[in-house]
Amino acid sequence: PLPRLCITTLVRSGTRSHDIESFVLLYHGLGFERVDLYFDEATDPTHDETKRAISSLLMPRPSGPNGLLCTARAIWCTEDWWRQTRINSRFYQRLDEPFKLYQETVHADSVLADVRARQMLAVEHALFDAQADRFQWLLHVDINEVLFLPDDERHPDARAFFHEVPSHFSAVRFTNLEAVPESLDINDPL
């Protein structure tokens, strides 16, 4: 059987609701059964418009390949959510261990308020949730990034690609390629 796929992203303040909807539908079409949207600044007033815009995406709908039922999930990263996430985070729990990544991430989060550190905490949360919900793969991308599978016959969607990954692999890293738009007046960058 094809693997179950989940994708996650950290949504920053100012992201247009149209772009969020486009992101969700793009990844549904690629075979990602669930899209987890972590809203970093949960008190941002633009999120009210976003909540209205994505409300229809939160219910399962046949928007995936061959009618695959797909959904989106909005996680509002309030101060209370961040506090609890930090308590449960391996980065914070293993702060005294010699692996420098733990200390660097906690320092970047707690002292520098670094967005990449918060992103790591959100992805860690998404990983545990995806495992609990029996997804085989979790992909993390930024809201403006696209997973490109150039061989349509071999990989008609991302499930076919991940199905071919040997079972002893626990991670796949994709090369990030940057693109520059020909015009700044773009309605849908995805």
Side-chain angles (χ1 to χ4, degrees):
L2 293 173
R4 294 184 65 216
L5 308 180
C6 182
I7 187 168
T8 188
T9 192
L10 185 70
V11 181
R12 303 278 297 150
S13 176
T15 304
R16 300 180 311 174
S17 57
H18 172 79
D19 293 339
I20 295 168
E21 182 179 10
S22 178
F23 177 86
V24 169
L25 294 175
L26 169 76
Y27 281 100
H28 282 178
L30 286 173
F32 287 85
E33 191 176 325
R34 188 173 78 202
V35 177
D36 286 349
L37 303 163
Y38 284 79
F39 289 88
D40 192 16
E41 288 106 7
T43 58
D44 183 342
T46 64
H47 288 329
D48 289 337
E49 175 191 339
T50 301
K51 286 179 185 179
R52 284 190 299 277
I54 66 168
S55 63
S56 68
L57 301 171
L58 303 179
M59 299 299 297
R61 57 197 266 176
S63 50
N66 301 316
L68 177 70
L69 284 178
C70 298
T71 188
R73 191 171 69 140
I75 298 92
W76 302 100
C77 303
T78 63
E79 284 304 315
D80 287 339
W81 185 90
W82 281 117
R83 190 172 13 269
Q84 190 61 47
T85 297
R86 289 177 179 112
I87 290 169
N88 295 331
S89 171
R90 292 178 296 177
F91 296 103
Y92 279 83
Q93 291 176 359
R94 298 177 180 173
L95 190 55
D96 295 330
E97 292 186 16
F99 189 45
K100 287 191 184 281
L101 179 64
Y102 301 131
Q103 293 93 6
E104 291 169 356
T105 301
V106 169
H107 176 77
D109 175 51
S110 61
V111 176
L112 305 176
D114 181 67
V115 68
R116 280 180 254 145
R118 286 194 310 280
Q119 193 173 51
M120 290 172 71
L121 295 173
V123 170
E124 179 187 39
H125 183 272
L127 177 62
F128 289 138
D129 280 2
Q131 288 173 331
D133 293 338
R134 301 191 179 277
F135 285 96
Q136 283 78 37
W137 288 97
L138 173 71
L139 178 67
H140 168 257
V141 296
D142 288 342
I143 193 94
N144 62 348
E145 294 177 336
V146 175
L147 175 64
F148 177 62
L149 302 168
D151 189 344
D152 282 343
E153 287 184 30
R154 186 169 165 200
H155 306 124
D157 63 60
R159 295 172 305 164
F161 172 83
F162 284 102
H163 180 72
E164 290 184 1
V165 175
S167 61
H168 64 279
F169 281 38
S170 62
V172 176
R173 182 174 289 187
F174 294 96
T175 301
N176 189 8
L177 303 174
E178 298 293 335
V180 177
E182 294 177 5
S183 167
L184 294 178
D185 188 31
I186 296 175
N187 187 36
D188 188 353
L190 300 178

